[in-house]
Amino acid sequence: MEILSVQHLSKHYPKFDLKDVSFSLEKGYIMGFIGSNGAGKTTTLKSMLGLVHKDGGTISMLGMDFDQHELEIKQHIGFMFGGVDYYAKTKIRTISDVVRRFYREWDDSIYQKYMKRFALDENKRPSELSSGMRIKYSLVLALSHRAKLLLLDEPTSGLDPVARDNLLELFQEFIEDGERSILFSTHITSDLEKCADFITYIENGRIIESRTKDDLLQGYRLVKGTSEQLAPLQARLIASKSHAYGFSGLIKTADLESADHLEIEEPSLEDIMIYYAKKEGLNE
Amino acid sequence: MSNLIYKEFRLVIHPLFFVTALFGVLILIPNWVYFVALMYFLFIAIPNIFMNVKAQNDTGFSVLLPVSKSDVVKARIWSMSLLEIVQILVAAIFVAISVKINPKGNFLIDANLAYLGCSLVMYGLFNIIFFPMFYKTTYKIGIPLIVALTAVFLFTGAIEVLVVTVPAVAHVLDGVSSAALVHQIPVLAAGIALFAGANWLAYRLSARNFEKVDL
């Protein structure tokens, strides 16, 4: 069953457009939302949650239309935009005490469990926490009301490798029962290689790909060849980089021909991102 | 709604701002501009509370909660009006004392029930200008404050001038005798009604403006 569906979402800004963004996520999976800085990840998430006014499109979560059931949906989802950046000098205990009142299904035992797991001290104030700890606290707040869907904007940026790994494990645990899902945006593609089932890739306000990670990786090939081979191939390549010994480029697997005689490799998500960004002229 | 109001008093409004109500003691000064006593709230509490709202990213926090944007505005206006009512109630105590110790009254408007009624209108006027302007951005405080305070000065200035120059107005608004209550109780009642109406309108306009803000 679809837990999240975004259809034809659009938002116009004077210098940026979110165009026809569509993707969906099933129960029990993790979807990574990738794209370079300024590609539209945060704008998409904010438009989905009504924090930014969308110009068009429909959003549904937990089987309900977001515009019509906003408050009900917000009771059952968790979302965060970076770390806690509010009430810097107020004790965490006080902030939590305010937040817990708003959720019907707030569970103090879950709250205490994650506070302990993340070694967060309720007597501290956000200003005393490192950026990683602020993100963790923000996550604890998103997790403590039995959310069925988590929408997380850059939850791993600013965390050290160990903390990131812990967090990714936690994500896996979260979806284990098959009833809950996570959509998280990131530009750290190695996170996704570890735990994402689906990838939605946005560049310059448009969705380039939205499918399973394996399909996505199988859908592209990294090719290398000599400078002479580049010219006839150019039209089929998504983008290429020339260097002293020849070129390397990204191509859709379907566009490969055995007659090409190229060195072929499986790309990483990062390769796909870099070449698409190059195509969009963002790397120049 | 009660949760949001709890949030206002727990996180946004420092208890210290209740103390501004004690400026009501200035009503005991003989021959003075009594409206100023109730303006200290607008001079001190309002700018500080809203600077705090901005500095602590209260808006960012509020929209993460499962509440509607209009309820965020409603709770803010409720809590600010509550503080204003506290100012008026404390002022009422000093008005009662003033009537006893200053039976001759004041050269401007006397400290009496009509004065309290006019003060409620003053707060209502402030709210109806300040809140909708503030909620156009949720971070620009200066211009809304200047415009709202200017309106407050013009309104209270006009009342004072009318009390001194127009006998008919003085007849209704001035006086500390119990006979004067006949005119003053309706003024107070009208003040309460206007204060309530202004807050309702301030809420509607502010919520409409806040709804348009992209966060």
Side-chain angles (χ1 to χ4, degrees), chain B residues 68-95:
Chain B
S68 66
K69 278 169 103 178
S70 61
D71 278 350
V72 171
V73 175
K74 198 190 268 181
R76 171 70 37 81
I77 293 180
W78 260 111
S79 53
M80 291 300 143
S81 329
L82 225 65
L83 275 175
E84 286 165 349
I85 290 167
V86 169
Q87 313 292 312
I88 296 283
L89 291 177
V90 174
I93 297 169
F94 289 110
V95 165

Side-chain angles (χ1 to χ4, degrees), chain A residues 140-163:
Chain A
V140 173
L141 291 181
L143 288 167
S144 302
H145 58 275
R146 302 175 186 276
K148 295 199 176 66
L149 171 67
L150 293 183
L151 304 172
L152 312 172
D153 193 23
E154 308 271 358
T156 53
S157 57
L159 297 188
D160 64 66
V162 180

